[in-house]
Every structure is written in C-alpha cells, then in structure tokens.
Amino acid sequence: MLLGLGVLGFGPTFGHDPHYLLAGFGAIVIGLAVAAAGAHWRLGLVTMIGLAFAVYMIFGSALAASSTAIMGFIPSLASLRGLLLGIMLSWKQLLTLAPPVGISVEVMVVPYLSAFVAAVVAGTLAWRLRSAYWAMIPVIVLFITAILFGTAQVFLPVLRGSLLSIAAIAWLAYRHEMRRRENAGSISANQQVHDASGARTSLLRRIGLAAGVILVAGAVTMAAAPALTSSASREVLRDTVIPPPDLHDLPSPLTKFRDYVKNEKETVLFDVTGLPKNGRVRVAAMDNYNGVVFNVDPNSSASFSPIGDPSALGSASDGGGTGVDLVIDGYQGVWIPSVSVANSLRYQSASGPTPTLYLNKDSGSALNLDGVAKGDSYSMDVAFPSVDGNKLAGSDFGSVRLPKLENVPAVVGTKANDIVGEADTPLKKVQALEGALQREGKFSNGLEGQTPSNSGHSAARVTKLLSGKEMVGDDEQYATAMVLMARHLGIPARVVMGFYLDEKDPNNGAPSIKMKGSDVHAWVEVNFSGLGWVPFNPTPDKDHVPNPPEPQNASKPKPQVLQPPPPPQEPADLPPDSAPDALDTDGKKNNQAGILGQILMIIGVAAIPLIIIALPLVLIVALKTRRRKKRQTQGLPTDRVSGGWSEVLSLATDLGAGMDTNGTRRESAVLLNDAFPASSTTTALLAERADAAIFGPGQPSEEQVAMYWQNVEHSVKGMSESVGFWKRQRARFSPRSLLADAQARARRKALTRDAQGQEQSWRSRGVALSSKLSQLFKKS
C-alpha cells in the first residue's frame, strides 16, 4: 500500500492512463516476490542483483513494453532493447516530453523501474532486519521520485499524504508490537501471565496511544498539505530542463504576413472541416519583441516540449469538443496550423511515419521541425471557449510571465497614456486601446491600387504608424502597436497570427473551408484572471481607407547649391532607461542560480517526511551524549564511578540484553557475561572496582576515576563489536535505556515521597504522644 501511494504520483505525467498503474503495481508485486525469495534462501548481494535484473527483463515486456512485445506480453528484441536502454535514457526522455507522455517503453520504464527497485529494497529491509524503520526509506524515495518527475499539477496531495503518514505509522506500530511479543516470549517462555487484567489494560493503552498518534499525524498532514500546495505554480524537474528546439533559429511567423497578402493571395493553403462560424485557425502566439520583429519566446510561461502522446495535447478529451480536420495544401513552414483549445492532435504525415511534434500548451502552438508538407493531415478535438461579458467586465488582468520588450519606441508610451486617459477598469483600458486604433487608423495592405503602406513591424515602422499624420497599415502593424502600448501599461498581451474568414464572407460557417493567403490575419490576445487569453481586433475595417493626398501647386525647382558639411557634434548623454517593465521576467534566462534554487526548494519540500523521521533519531543521540557527559563529569568521584557502570548497563539495554534493575552489580555482571562473552573479563572487573570505590573508605582519586572510565570505554567497545553492524546502529538510536532511566527516576521519586510521608506521619504521632504525656503530667 505504501509503495502504491508513491506510484500514484506519476498519474498526471501519463494522463492517468491505466497502463502506468499496470507497470507500477505490477513492479511492486514482482519486486516484493524477489525480496521474499532472497530473504527465504538468504541470497547474497550479487545473487540478488542478478535475480532482480532477470525478473526485470522477463516481466518488463508485459508490464512496461506491451506496445513492442509479441502479443503484448511475450518478450521481443524491441521490448528487451527498450527495457535495457531505458535504465539510463528513460529519465531524461520523461522530462523532455510534454505530458501526457504516452505509453511507449521509453517512458514507461520510469514508473516500472523505480517501483521495482523500491519494492525489492523495501521488502529486503523489512524481511531481513528486525527494525522496520529502514524499510520506510525506499518508500519515501519512491514517493519523492514521483514528485520530481511529475508535473505542476498536484494529484490528491492531502489524501495521498495523509494515507502515507497513517499507513506508515500503523505498519511500524504493528511491527514494533510483533517484535515486543517475540522478545517477551523468548524471555518468559513457559511462564504463565498471572495478571490478565493488567495485560489487557496494557494492550488497550497501547492501542489507544497508537490511534492517537495516527489521528495526530493525519491531522498534521491535512493541515500542512494546503500550505505546501497553495502556490499557484508548482516547480518540478521538468520545469528546469530546457528541451529542444531552439526557437531563436526559427524566423518569426509574422514576417511572412505581407507575403501571404501579396504573393499567395489566391493560393489555397489548407482545407479545414468542422470549423464553426467565426472560428479561427492560429499559427503562433508571439510575446517577445526586440525592436525588429515579434517572435515566440521559448522561455515564456510554457516552453516547447516534444509531444509524448500525439493523441493528447493538453488534457485528455472528454468527448465534449468539436472535431476539426485539416489537410495541408499550399501551406509551408514548421508551424502547425491549429485551433485553440485543442484537446487532442492526431497527425498523419504524407511522407510516412509521424515526425516528432513540439507543443507549447500555454499558447496552443505546435511545431513540426521537419516542416509541414502538402498532403499532411490531422484531426483535433477542439473546445471553443466562450467569454462571459459580465465576468470579463469585472475581471482583473491575469498573472503570467512574459519576456521583457526591447527597443520599444518612445512614442508608444506617450500614445498609450493619452489613449487610456482615465479608464478605471482593466477591460476599459484594453477597449480604449482597441477603439482608438480602429477609429483613427486607416487600412492598407500596400497592394497595387492602394495607398502605399510599408510592411514590417520594426520600431521605425511602429513610430511612423503612431506619429504620422494618418495611421496607415494592416493587421501586422496595428496588432503590434496595440500589444506594445498594452505592455507599456502593464497589461499582459501578445500578438497572434492565423487565418479566419471575414464575417461577411458567404463561406463563413460552411462545413468545409479552403483557407487562402488573403485570409491571413493578426490579432491581439489579453490575459484576464480566470478567463485566460481573450482576443481583440485593433485593425480598422478594410473600407476605412486613407484620405487622398491634397493637390499641391507645382513649384519651380531651384538650382542646387552645395552646402557646407554640418559641424561635428558630441554624442548626447542619455540617461539610462530605469523605468521598470511591468512584465519584465527576462532575468530568468540563463539564471543558473534561480534553477538551482528551484531544485533545492523541491528537494527541501520533498525531504519533509525524512526530516520528520530523522528528528526523533537525532534527539535520542543528543540525549545519550548529554547523559554520558553528565555521568563522566558531574558529581562526587563515587558518583562518576557509578555513572561509568550505568553507562555499561545502558548500552547492554540498548543492545537488547535483559537486565534486572533490582540486581547487584556482581549479579548484573553475570548477566552481561552470558550476553557478551567477549567482554566478560572487563565487565566483571568493572563491577568489582565500582563496589570497592563506592563502599570503600573515603573517595577515589581523580586518576582512579579516569582509569575506571578508560576500562568502561574498552568494555563498551567490546560489547558493540560483538554484535553486527545493523544491531549496533539500532542500539545507537534505541530509546530503551532512556526510558529505563526515566522509569528508575520515577521509582526513586516515588520512594522518596513515601519515605517523606512516613517520616511526617511518625513526627505527627510523636507530637500527639508528647501532647498526651504533657496533659497527664499536668493532671498528676
């Protein structure tokens, strides 16, 4: 059960596909079987490793490599090769794939192998060691492994954490009780328990105490889980791994905007079936600007990762979406035209096998680095989000991470402040920017017969658009200008390029649509809290064309005169740009210290159960060290000699020797000789010298005390070396001697109280007798 709770942590990574449960729980069963066989036949380490490897390879084809096994369970060369290579390569493969990662052997090895190794180690420790605490280490390691190789989605944190704590405490308590009964049976064999009522009361007390501990552990876990999982973003290892591709080598999709308008105006780019009325096919969402182009930033809120399972983009489809099919015709490029929000993607390449696809779930963009080619087809299950106007009006901007914009012209900030003015709500600010560009702007693609309009969206082009006598441009310029102004005001916005039909187009809403180059568009998306990315269209209507130029009187040209060159000027000292960008998170790039901090934070949170288990052990060692120092340095010389003998008895108690607390030192020495024959001479000598020092005349000298403690050290070392390594470690952390000391102190205090009470009683009787005698003398 404890190992299974760890396996469940892989659920979000595999999209809760039942195959990962088969691999994980199957590995637990065969791993415990290997551990049981090793414990039964007392196999050595090398033999255990060989047996475990053979079982791993034999059963792995059915549990983790069924997709490549013969008939789904018979080992094949492909399945055995995947299992063998997966031991080293599957960990990186799992981190570099976008979840859900699928059920291929390359990723299924991780839950299978980790659960198998944890089961073998945990079972071996549980069956071969008397102390059950060591078996919890592989259980916790498996639990942490599922966290580190999981996703930002938290899977039942309160329930799994509570069950782990409660089940661990219950199992450890059960093992402790079985061991106690075993020890009690070996000590008092053939002796009947006369106090049945006392035994029953003791059993009920232990059960009640165990139940209380379980309740407290469960309550603490349930109270701490919300605090540990309250963060909006959960950092895991896959967030610190930078997967391919390097998007800096890819050109911006927006640079091809004017080419679609001019050169591919009548070219059918792709056929789309199932697109609803006013539906949009998006190519890419761009959020990074360098003063020349808007591009896709790979370090934004969600980077591109290989799609592990092409049948699932973000989350498993529940069947409630709309089916949309695309067939590529004249479209070319690495960006896959898709629809937001796509729950699934079933891609079929015209050239044969499906290539590796990459996904950015935040922007809904997908990549095919081999290039989308004519004849490629794919289908999607799409959920078209609807925006509630009332919720949008009352929503604030969302909290997303966007890169810092560079080389933004100064006119952007001035224009943005003038347009927004006194708008007091987030939606009004966005609508003010959108409305101003629609009203004041003029539309022109720069085609033949239209007003000249330069292509591009560089800083110079945006400056010309916003500071000219008339704003003239198309979707490319207006979408860029609105995003730059919005980002200046701290509004999370990005440019999206894609294709859709105009509202007045008769084919809008038809079952099958042929998208052409003339249908290309660019729009703006703004993130609102709770609603996600909402589209806005700042481009003026196409019939809102620029005014014709005013006629000018012809002027007679004057002869040109060579002018002297202007005097050289010193460059002006411009103040550094210290204005903070409201959405500046570009410092995260290449921030190795930040990545290291995230990893340490994950390890720190995951190590909380280990710390909880280690704290009592550290406390026990500290108390024993303090007790030893106190016995050796405090009190009279006779007290320190007695403390040395007590140190020997404490170690014997921790090692499991049954000591009679009411026996004399010589009687205790006899018991120690039977339990630890190797140190029999030293223990007998220590008992004799302790009696001589304590009951002899005067006080022993400091040299005699030091010599006695040297003998104590020798005796303690011999007793420890006479047992095995694990028994020594168990004795080091055992609280038995500390509990025995506490019981002895309690008995002494009780005896002292009884003696003081008896003395007080005798004094009271003496006073009463004296009073009666005085009265008799007075009468006489």
Side-chain angles (χ1 to χ4, degrees), residues 369-646:
L369 293 183
D370 293 339
V372 178
K374 183 175 182 178
D376 288 1
S377 61
Y378 49 95
S379 58
M380 296 171 285
D381 187 19
V382 181
F384 291 94
S386 59
V387 179
D388 188 339
N390 295 329
K391 291 184 179 180
L392 183 61
S395 297
D396 200 352
F397 295 122
S399 177
V400 294
R401 295 181 295 178
L402 296 173
K404 180 181 178 180
L405 305 184
E406 299 178 353
N407 302 321
V408 178
V411 68
V412 168
T414 305
K415 192 75 172 180
N417 295 330
D418 293 340
I419 292 175
V420 171
E422 299 181 356
D424 54 355
T425 65
L427 180 58
K428 288 182 180 180
K429 293 180 181 179
V430 179
Q431 289 177 337
L433 295 175
E434 180 189 40
L437 294 176
Q438 288 179 346
R439 291 189 308 271
E440 302 174 14
K442 309 295 182 180
F443 184 87
S444 175
N445 281 327
L447 301 179
E448 184 178 356
Q450 294 183 356
T451 302
S453 173
N454 296 334
S455 62
H457 51 280
S458 63
R461 182 65 180 90
V462 173
T463 300
K464 181 179 180 181
L465 176 75
L466 297 179
S467 60
K469 185 177 181 180
E470 280 189 323
M471 289 192 293
V472 180
D474 54 13
D475 301 49
E476 179 184 3
Q477 289 81 42
Y478 286 110
T480 299
M482 179 175 172
V483 170
L484 293 180
M485 290 191 290
R487 296 280 286 274
H488 172 80
L489 298 173
I491 300 174
R494 64 190 183 187
V495 177
V496 181
M497 176 180 163
F499 300 87
Y500 63 84
L501 299 180
D502 294 337
E503 292 187 5
K504 300 178 182 179
D505 194 307
N507 292 323
N508 192 349
S512 180
I513 301 173
K514 294 183 179 295
M515 287 289 183
K516 301 179 180 180
S518 59
D519 299 320
V520 67
H521 290 280
W523 61 92
V524 176
E525 285 186 345
V526 178
N527 190 277
F528 286 88
S529 178
L531 299 175
W533 294 97
V534 179
F536 292 88
N537 302 299
T539 305
D541 195 71
K542 289 186 177 181
D543 57 6
H544 200 193
V545 296
N547 298 322
E550 297 179 0
Q552 298 180 358
N553 297 327
S555 59
K556 185 178 180 181
K558 298 180 180 180
Q560 297 183 356
V561 179
L562 182 63
Q563 300 293 331
Q569 298 181 355
E570 296 183 359
D573 295 332
L574 298 178
D577 185 10
S578 60
D581 194 323
L583 301 171
D584 180 11
T585 57
D586 193 48
K588 179 184 176 184
K589 297 179 180 178
N590 302 323
N591 190 350
Q592 299 297 332
I595 294 176
L596 179 60
Q598 294 172 1
I599 295 177
L600 293 178
M601 181 188 68
I602 296 171
I603 296 175
V605 173
I608 290 178
L610 293 177
I611 296 175
I612 295 176
I613 294 177
L615 281 178
L617 304 180
V618 175
L619 180 60
I620 290 173
V621 173
L623 291 176
K624 288 184 178 181
T625 303
R626 177 176 173 271
R627 180 185 63 184
R628 181 187 184 90
K629 184 177 181 181
K630 183 177 179 181
R631 287 172 173 175
Q632 190 173 7
T633 59
Q634 295 183 9
L636 297 174
T638 53
D639 296 331
R640 283 179 276 161
V641 171
S642 177
W645 176 253
S646 298

Side-chain angles (χ1 to χ4, degrees), residues 95-98 238 241-248 250 253 283-287 295-307 334-336 338 357-369:
L95 291 178
T96 56
L97 290 178
R238 65 175 60 252
V241 176
I242 303 177
D246 185 5
L247 297 184
H248 297 96
L250 301 178
V283 173
M286 292 149 282
D287 50 11
N295 209 342
V296 181
D297 184 74
N299 297 316
S300 59
S301 53
S303 58
F304 280 82
S305 302
I307 299 177
V334 298
W335 299 94
I336 302 175
S338 59
L357 307 180
Y358 296 86
L359 168 70
N360 183 311
K361 289 196 296 184
D362 180 69
S363 63
S365 303
L367 278 172
N368 180 359
L369 293 183

Side-chain angles (χ1 to χ4, degrees), residues 153-289:
Q153 178 185 358
V154 183
F155 179 63
L156 300 178
V158 177
L159 179 60
R160 291 175 57 236
S162 301
L163 288 178
L164 181 69
S165 301
I166 294 173
I169 294 174
W171 182 69
L172 292 174
Y174 168 78
R175 288 293 302 266
H176 178 75
E177 177 66 15
M178 293 299 100
R179 182 182 174 189
R180 187 195 66 80
R181 292 186 180 184
E182 180 183 352
N183 293 336
S186 62
I187 294 174
S188 58
N190 302 322
Q191 294 185 11
Q192 300 296 325
V193 178
H194 300 289
D195 189 3
S197 177
R200 184 167 54 255
T201 302
S202 177
L203 177 61
L204 293 177
R205 184 185 300 112
R206 289 195 298 273
I207 294 176
L209 181 61
V213 171
I214 291 175
L215 289 176
V216 171
V220 170
T221 303
M222 296 182 68
L228 296 176
T229 59
S230 60
S231 176
S233 61
R234 178 186 178 195
E235 300 292 344
V236 291
L237 287 181
R238 65 175 60 252
D239 294 332
T240 63
V241 176
I242 303 177
D246 185 5
L247 297 184
H248 297 96
D249 297 336
L250 301 178
S252 169
L254 201 57
T255 58
K256 191 174 172 58
F257 185 90
R258 192 61 67 89
D259 182 65
Y260 284 124
V261 175
K262 286 188 174 183
N263 303 323
E264 300 185 38
K265 183 178 181 180
E266 299 300 328
T267 302
V268 177
L269 302 179
F270 52 84
D271 296 338
V272 55
T273 304
L275 191 68
K277 187 176 179 62
N278 297 326
R280 302 185 179 191
V281 177
R282 59 199 292 119
V283 173
M286 292 149 282
D287 50 11
N288 188 19
Y289 186 74

